[in-house]
Amino acid sequence: YFYLMLLSFLGWLFCFKDFLSGAIPLTADALSYFDHIGFYTDQLSKGVYPLWNPLWFDGAPYHFFLRRIGDGNPLFLIIIFLKWIGIGQTYAYMIFLTLYYFLTTTAFYLIARYILKDRLFAFMAFVLLLFSSWGVQLFYNYIILIFLPIIWFFYFLLCFLKESKKSYFLGMCFCIGMVLTTYIPFYFLIILITFTVCSFLIYFQESIMFLRRSVSFIKENKLFVCFCVLFLLIALLPGIVFYFESKTGDFLLPHRNADALEARSAVAVGISNVSSGDIINSGAFDKVFEGNT
């Protein structure tokens, strides 16, 4: 089914050629993420870890934007490599998004194959996701940057449920680390908590057996598990530092914080932002395709 998946993805590339070529421009949050990731990868290619962006509103601290894009994401190296071989910023970023999306849908296929035990139905699930609204969301907001590590985490988790291998455990920790380097890991926490609660309610005995196997795995691989925990703690540090810095006044985000001053945090938003609707609602197709034929 690999060749069928590849053929389907080529079909997706054709359908979204106007987006990928820049004929239909990025909009909303996707545009600011393009700017910040572009600046970040440019600086990294020069050996600089940026804490200040002189190009953003005549100069601004870069802490917030580093947390937004997830500065620990190793896949940003793809953009750096593409720029190094002479590909322009726009096309390098679009290739990065394309590969990112394909990796995400591939993980979905692997999960579907694991659960359904049938490659044909797993392939059908892959195609449904590939041509779903997620494809449009790539060019409207940031959610794909979080979605990839989340969906790969659950693939590694399912594999670890079946067989307690170090590689699966390491894969889970790596994905969690990618999520923790963003400033909004709460999507992942909500999904993980829901998954855990439902698993205990529906598969109580199996969940208890898994916990026992996990305890045995930890006892047998203490040094390895300690290394993974240390990795996660390091991944968590930038977010913790950023949280406390946002309350000390070291940096300000007046546009974002204008109606939430009582929160005493530079990254807080007012109730009007919180109650404005979910990400799917705000990314409705009529807005994405507005003005385009």
Side-chain angles (χ1 to χ4, degrees), residues 211-233:
L211 287 178
R212 289 174 180 171
R213 284 198 295 109
S214 298
V215 171
S216 299
F217 175 83
I218 293 172
K219 289 180 179 179
E220 294 171 3
N221 304 278
K222 295 184 180 69
L223 185 61
F224 174 75
V225 173
C226 287
F227 169 79
C228 292
V229 172
L230 179 62
F231 165 76
L232 292 178
L233 290 175

PDB file of all heavy atoms in Angstrom, residues 211-233:
ATOM      1  N   LEU A 211      -0.239  -1.437  33.324  1.00  0.00           N
ATOM      2  CA  LEU A 211       0.475  -0.727  34.383  1.00  0.00           C
ATOM      3  C   LEU A 211       1.514  -1.623  35.041  1.00  0.00           C
ATOM      4  O   LEU A 211       2.633  -1.189  35.345  1.00  0.00           O
ATOM      5  CB  LEU A 211      -0.520  -0.211  35.422  1.00  0.00           C
ATOM      6  CG  LEU A 211      -1.383   0.989  35.012  1.00  0.00           C
ATOM      7  CD1 LEU A 211      -2.358   1.346  36.127  1.00  0.00           C
ATOM      8  CD2 LEU A 211      -0.511   2.196  34.682  1.00  0.00           C
ATOM      9  N   ARG A 212       1.158  -2.866  35.261  1.00  0.00           N
ATOM     10  CA  ARG A 212       2.103  -3.802  35.869  1.00  0.00           C
ATOM     11  C   ARG A 212       3.300  -4.047  34.948  1.00  0.00           C
ATOM     12  O   ARG A 212       4.456  -4.092  35.410  1.00  0.00           O
ATOM     13  CB  ARG A 212       1.386  -5.112  36.180  1.00  0.00           C
ATOM     14  CG  ARG A 212       0.389  -5.004  37.339  1.00  0.00           C
ATOM     15  CD  ARG A 212      -0.407  -6.299  37.497  1.00  0.00           C
ATOM     16  NE  ARG A 212      -1.352  -6.189  38.615  1.00  0.00           N
ATOM     17  CZ  ARG A 212      -2.302  -7.093  38.877  1.00  0.00           C
ATOM     18  NH1 ARG A 212      -2.427  -8.170  38.097  1.00  0.00           N
ATOM     19  NH2 ARG A 212      -3.110  -6.919  39.901  1.00  0.00           N
ATOM     20  N   ARG A 213       3.030  -4.206  33.662  1.00  0.00           N
ATOM     21  CA  ARG A 213       4.122  -4.397  32.704  1.00  0.00           C
ATOM     22  C   ARG A 213       5.008  -3.164  32.625  1.00  0.00           C
ATOM     23  O   ARG A 213       6.229  -3.266  32.473  1.00  0.00           O
ATOM     24  CB  ARG A 213       3.571  -4.736  31.328  1.00  0.00           C
ATOM     25  CG  ARG A 213       3.070  -6.162  31.195  1.00  0.00           C
ATOM     26  CD  ARG A 213       2.944  -6.601  29.748  1.00  0.00           C
ATOM     27  NE  ARG A 213       1.928  -5.851  29.010  1.00  0.00           N
ATOM     28  CZ  ARG A 213       2.205  -4.966  28.068  1.00  0.00           C
ATOM     29  NH1 ARG A 213       3.452  -4.697  27.754  1.00  0.00           N
ATOM     30  NH2 ARG A 213       1.226  -4.341  27.441  1.00  0.00           N
ATOM     31  N   SER A 214       4.383  -1.989  32.739  1.00  0.00           N
ATOM     32  CA  SER A 214       5.143  -0.746  32.690  1.00  0.00           C
ATOM     33  C   SER A 214       6.059  -0.617  33.905  1.00  0.00           C
ATOM     34  O   SER A 214       7.213  -0.173  33.787  1.00  0.00           O
ATOM     35  CB  SER A 214       4.195   0.452  32.618  1.00  0.00           C
ATOM     36  OG  SER A 214       3.420   0.417  31.442  1.00  0.00           O
ATOM     37  N   VAL A 215       5.544  -0.993  35.071  1.00  0.00           N
ATOM     38  CA  VAL A 215       6.363  -0.965  36.291  1.00  0.00           C
ATOM     39  C   VAL A 215       7.543  -1.918  36.149  1.00  0.00           C
ATOM     40  O   VAL A 215       8.679  -1.597  36.507  1.00  0.00           O
ATOM     41  CB  VAL A 215       5.506  -1.324  37.525  1.00  0.00           C
ATOM     42  CG1 VAL A 215       6.394  -1.513  38.754  1.00  0.00           C
ATOM     43  CG2 VAL A 215       4.473  -0.237  37.785  1.00  0.00           C
ATOM     44  N   SER A 216       7.286  -3.094  35.605  1.00  0.00           N
ATOM     45  CA  SER A 216       8.364  -4.067  35.379  1.00  0.00           C
ATOM     46  C   SER A 216       9.400  -3.526  34.396  1.00  0.00           C
ATOM     47  O   SER A 216      10.610  -3.697  34.583  1.00  0.00           O
ATOM     48  CB  SER A 216       7.787  -5.388  34.851  1.00  0.00           C
ATOM     49  OG  SER A 216       6.887  -5.952  35.774  1.00  0.00           O
ATOM     50  N   PHE A 217       8.905  -2.846  33.335  1.00  0.00           N
ATOM     51  CA  PHE A 217       9.806  -2.249  32.349  1.00  0.00           C
ATOM     52  C   PHE A 217      10.700  -1.197  33.005  1.00  0.00           C
ATOM     53  O   PHE A 217      11.913  -1.139  32.734  1.00  0.00           O
ATOM     54  CB  PHE A 217       8.989  -1.616  31.222  1.00  0.00           C
ATOM     55  CG  PHE A 217       9.804  -0.875  30.205  1.00  0.00           C
ATOM     56  CD1 PHE A 217      10.420  -1.546  29.161  1.00  0.00           C
ATOM     57  CD2 PHE A 217       9.963   0.507  30.289  1.00  0.00           C
ATOM     58  CE1 PHE A 217      11.175  -0.863  28.222  1.00  0.00           C
ATOM     59  CE2 PHE A 217      10.712   1.196  29.363  1.00  0.00           C
ATOM     60  CZ  PHE A 217      11.325   0.510  28.319  1.00  0.00           C
ATOM     61  N   ILE A 218      10.120  -0.376  33.867  1.00  0.00           N
ATOM     62  CA  ILE A 218      10.890   0.674  34.547  1.00  0.00           C
ATOM     63  C   ILE A 218      11.948   0.055  35.462  1.00  0.00           C
ATOM     64  O   ILE A 218      13.098   0.511  35.512  1.00  0.00           O
ATOM     65  CB  ILE A 218       9.942   1.594  35.341  1.00  0.00           C
ATOM     66  CG1 ILE A 218       9.048   2.388  34.381  1.00  0.00           C
ATOM     67  CG2 ILE A 218      10.736   2.552  36.230  1.00  0.00           C
ATOM     68  CD1 ILE A 218       7.959   3.187  35.060  1.00  0.00           C
ATOM     69  N   LYS A 219      11.576  -1.001  36.182  1.00  0.00           N
ATOM     70  CA  LYS A 219      12.524  -1.654  37.078  1.00  0.00           C
ATOM     71  C   LYS A 219      13.681  -2.294  36.315  1.00  0.00           C
ATOM     72  O   LYS A 219      14.823  -2.281  36.770  1.00  0.00           O
ATOM     73  CB  LYS A 219      11.796  -2.717  37.902  1.00  0.00           C
ATOM     74  CG  LYS A 219      10.856  -2.152  38.957  1.00  0.00           C
ATOM     75  CD  LYS A 219      10.176  -3.268  39.737  1.00  0.00           C
ATOM     76  CE  LYS A 219       9.255  -2.702  40.819  1.00  0.00           C
ATOM     77  NZ  LYS A 219       8.569  -3.791  41.570  1.00  0.00           N
ATOM     78  N   GLU A 220      13.386  -2.836  35.148  1.00  0.00           N
ATOM     79  CA  GLU A 220      14.409  -3.514  34.355  1.00  0.00           C
ATOM     80  C   GLU A 220      15.301  -2.536  33.582  1.00  0.00           C
ATOM     81  O   GLU A 220      16.397  -2.911  33.151  1.00  0.00           O
ATOM     82  CB  GLU A 220      13.749  -4.478  33.372  1.00  0.00           C
ATOM     83  CG  GLU A 220      13.029  -5.638  34.047  1.00  0.00           C
ATOM     84  CD  GLU A 220      12.198  -6.451  33.065  1.00  0.00           C
ATOM     85  OE1 GLU A 220      12.247  -6.117  31.847  1.00  0.00           O
ATOM     86  OE2 GLU A 220      11.512  -7.392  33.496  1.00  0.00           O
ATOM     87  N   ASN A 221      14.810  -1.300  33.382  1.00  0.00           N
ATOM     88  CA  ASN A 221      15.555  -0.320  32.572  1.00  0.00           C
ATOM     89  C   ASN A 221      15.652   1.020  33.307  1.00  0.00           C
ATOM     90  O   ASN A 221      15.311   2.067  32.751  1.00  0.00           O
ATOM     91  CB  ASN A 221      14.873  -0.135  31.220  1.00  0.00           C
ATOM     92  CG  ASN A 221      14.705  -1.422  30.453  1.00  0.00           C
ATOM     93  OD1 ASN A 221      15.611  -1.892  29.789  1.00  0.00           O
ATOM     94  ND2 ASN A 221      13.510  -2.013  30.547  1.00  0.00           N
ATOM     95  N   LYS A 222      16.115   0.972  34.544  1.00  0.00           N
ATOM     96  CA  LYS A 222      16.144   2.180  35.383  1.00  0.00           C
ATOM     97  C   LYS A 222      16.968   3.294  34.758  1.00  0.00           C
ATOM     98  O   LYS A 222      16.515   4.453  34.688  1.00  0.00           O
ATOM     99  CB  LYS A 222      16.700   1.844  36.766  1.00  0.00           C
ATOM    100  CG  LYS A 222      15.851   0.909  37.596  1.00  0.00           C
ATOM    101  CD  LYS A 222      16.449   0.738  38.980  1.00  0.00           C
ATOM    102  CE  LYS A 222      15.614  -0.202  39.838  1.00  0.00           C
ATOM    103  NZ  LYS A 222      15.677  -1.602  39.357  1.00  0.00           N
ATOM    104  N   LEU A 223      18.165   2.979  34.295  1.00  0.00           N
ATOM    105  CA  LEU A 223      19.038   4.009  33.737  1.00  0.00           C
ATOM    106  C   LEU A 223      18.436   4.621  32.478  1.00  0.00           C
ATOM    107  O   LEU A 223      18.458   5.846  32.291  1.00  0.00           O
ATOM    108  CB  LEU A 223      20.417   3.409  33.432  1.00  0.00           C
ATOM    109  CG  LEU A 223      21.482   4.401  32.957  1.00  0.00           C
ATOM    110  CD1 LEU A 223      21.743   5.450  34.035  1.00  0.00           C
ATOM    111  CD2 LEU A 223      22.779   3.656  32.610  1.00  0.00           C
ATOM    112  N   PHE A 224      17.893   3.784  31.620  1.00  0.00           N
ATOM    113  CA  PHE A 224      17.277   4.252  30.384  1.00  0.00           C
ATOM    114  C   PHE A 224      16.078   5.154  30.678  1.00  0.00           C
ATOM    115  O   PHE A 224      15.923   6.220  30.072  1.00  0.00           O
ATOM    116  CB  PHE A 224      16.850   3.053  29.538  1.00  0.00           C
ATOM    117  CG  PHE A 224      16.078   3.415  28.309  1.00  0.00           C
ATOM    118  CD1 PHE A 224      16.701   3.961  27.204  1.00  0.00           C
ATOM    119  CD2 PHE A 224      14.695   3.206  28.250  1.00  0.00           C
ATOM    120  CE1 PHE A 224      15.986   4.298  26.060  1.00  0.00           C
ATOM    121  CE2 PHE A 224      13.977   3.535  27.119  1.00  0.00           C
ATOM    122  CZ  PHE A 224      14.625   4.078  26.018  1.00  0.00           C
ATOM    123  N   VAL A 225      15.227   4.745  31.606  1.00  0.00           N
ATOM    124  CA  VAL A 225      14.047   5.527  31.966  1.00  0.00           C
ATOM    125  C   VAL A 225      14.457   6.851  32.597  1.00  0.00           C
ATOM    126  O   VAL A 225      13.855   7.897  32.315  1.00  0.00           O
ATOM    127  CB  VAL A 225      13.130   4.729  32.914  1.00  0.00           C
ATOM    128  CG1 VAL A 225      11.997   5.606  33.435  1.00  0.00           C
ATOM    129  CG2 VAL A 225      12.555   3.511  32.196  1.00  0.00           C
ATOM    130  N   CYS A 226      15.494   6.842  33.429  1.00  0.00           N
ATOM    131  CA  CYS A 226      15.992   8.085  34.042  1.00  0.00           C
ATOM    132  C   CYS A 226      16.483   9.054  32.969  1.00  0.00           C
ATOM    133  O   CYS A 226      16.254  10.270  33.064  1.00  0.00           O
ATOM    134  CB  CYS A 226      17.110   7.782  35.032  1.00  0.00           C
ATOM    135  SG  CYS A 226      16.541   7.027  36.568  1.00  0.00           S
ATOM    136  N   PHE A 227      17.145   8.523  31.956  1.00  0.00           N
ATOM    137  CA  PHE A 227      17.606   9.357  30.842  1.00  0.00           C
ATOM    138  C   PHE A 227      16.413  10.005  30.130  1.00  0.00           C
ATOM    139  O   PHE A 227      16.441  11.199  29.804  1.00  0.00           O
ATOM    140  CB  PHE A 227      18.418   8.512  29.859  1.00  0.00           C
ATOM    141  CG  PHE A 227      18.713   9.208  28.564  1.00  0.00           C
ATOM    142  CD1 PHE A 227      19.738  10.142  28.474  1.00  0.00           C
ATOM    143  CD2 PHE A 227      17.958   8.937  27.426  1.00  0.00           C
ATOM    144  CE1 PHE A 227      20.009  10.794  27.280  1.00  0.00           C
ATOM    145  CE2 PHE A 227      18.215   9.582  26.226  1.00  0.00           C
ATOM    146  CZ  PHE A 227      19.241  10.513  26.149  1.00  0.00           C
ATOM    147  N   CYS A 228      15.371   9.214  29.889  1.00  0.00           N
ATOM    148  CA  CYS A 228      14.176   9.740  29.208  1.00  0.00           C
ATOM    149  C   CYS A 228      13.475  10.796  30.053  1.00  0.00           C
ATOM    150  O   CYS A 228      13.020  11.820  29.531  1.00  0.00           O
ATOM    151  CB  CYS A 228      13.217   8.596  28.886  1.00  0.00           C
ATOM    152  SG  CYS A 228      13.829   7.450  27.625  1.00  0.00           S
ATOM    153  N   VAL A 229      13.392  10.559  31.366  1.00  0.00           N
ATOM    154  CA  VAL A 229      12.769  11.535  32.267  1.00  0.00           C
ATOM    155  C   VAL A 229      13.580  12.822  32.285  1.00  0.00           C
ATOM    156  O   VAL A 229      13.017  13.932  32.283  1.00  0.00           O
ATOM    157  CB  VAL A 229      12.634  10.953  33.682  1.00  0.00           C
ATOM    158  CG1 VAL A 229      12.181  12.028  34.671  1.00  0.00           C
ATOM    159  CG2 VAL A 229      11.648   9.783  33.693  1.00  0.00           C
ATOM    160  N   LEU A 230      14.907  12.692  32.302  1.00  0.00           N
ATOM    161  CA  LEU A 230      15.771  13.878  32.269  1.00  0.00           C
ATOM    162  C   LEU A 230      15.557  14.661  30.985  1.00  0.00           C
ATOM    163  O   LEU A 230      15.494  15.899  30.998  1.00  0.00           O
ATOM    164  CB  LEU A 230      17.232  13.445  32.387  1.00  0.00           C
ATOM    165  CG  LEU A 230      18.272  14.576  32.339  1.00  0.00           C
ATOM    166  CD1 LEU A 230      18.073  15.539  33.505  1.00  0.00           C
ATOM    167  CD2 LEU A 230      19.684  13.999  32.351  1.00  0.00           C
ATOM    168  N   PHE A 231      15.415  13.956  29.881  1.00  0.00           N
ATOM    169  CA  PHE A 231      15.138  14.611  28.594  1.00  0.00           C
ATOM    170  C   PHE A 231      13.841  15.412  28.658  1.00  0.00           C
ATOM    171  O   PHE A 231      13.773  16.551  28.181  1.00  0.00           O
ATOM    172  CB  PHE A 231      15.067  13.554  27.490  1.00  0.00           C
ATOM    173  CG  PHE A 231      14.459  14.042  26.210  1.00  0.00           C
ATOM    174  CD1 PHE A 231      15.178  14.847  25.349  1.00  0.00           C
ATOM    175  CD2 PHE A 231      13.147  13.712  25.868  1.00  0.00           C
ATOM    176  CE1 PHE A 231      14.618  15.307  24.162  1.00  0.00           C
ATOM    177  CE2 PHE A 231      12.583  14.167  24.693  1.00  0.00           C
ATOM    178  CZ  PHE A 231      13.319  14.970  23.837  1.00  0.00           C
ATOM    179  N   LEU A 232      12.795  14.833  29.257  1.00  0.00           N
ATOM    180  CA  LEU A 232      11.507  15.510  29.351  1.00  0.00           C
ATOM    181  C   LEU A 232      11.589  16.726  30.271  1.00  0.00           C
ATOM    182  O   LEU A 232      10.960  17.762  30.000  1.00  0.00           O
ATOM    183  CB  LEU A 232      10.438  14.540  29.856  1.00  0.00           C
ATOM    184  CG  LEU A 232      10.069  13.404  28.900  1.00  0.00           C
ATOM    185  CD1 LEU A 232       9.037  12.482  29.527  1.00  0.00           C
ATOM    186  CD2 LEU A 232       9.546  13.949  27.574  1.00  0.00           C
ATOM    187  N   LEU A 233      12.344  16.619  31.335  1.00  0.00           N
ATOM    188  CA  LEU A 233      12.508  17.759  32.243  1.00  0.00           C
ATOM    189  C   LEU A 233      13.231  18.907  31.547  1.00  0.00           C
ATOM    190  O   LEU A 233      12.866  20.080  31.714  1.00  0.00           O
ATOM    191  CB  LEU A 233      13.279  17.327  33.491  1.00  0.00           C
ATOM    192  CG  LEU A 233      12.542  16.391  34.450  1.00  0.00           C
ATOM    193  CD1 LEU A 233      13.466  15.936  35.576  1.00  0.00           C
ATOM    194  CD2 LEU A 233      11.294  17.066  35.020  1.00  0.00           C
TER     195      LEU A 233
END
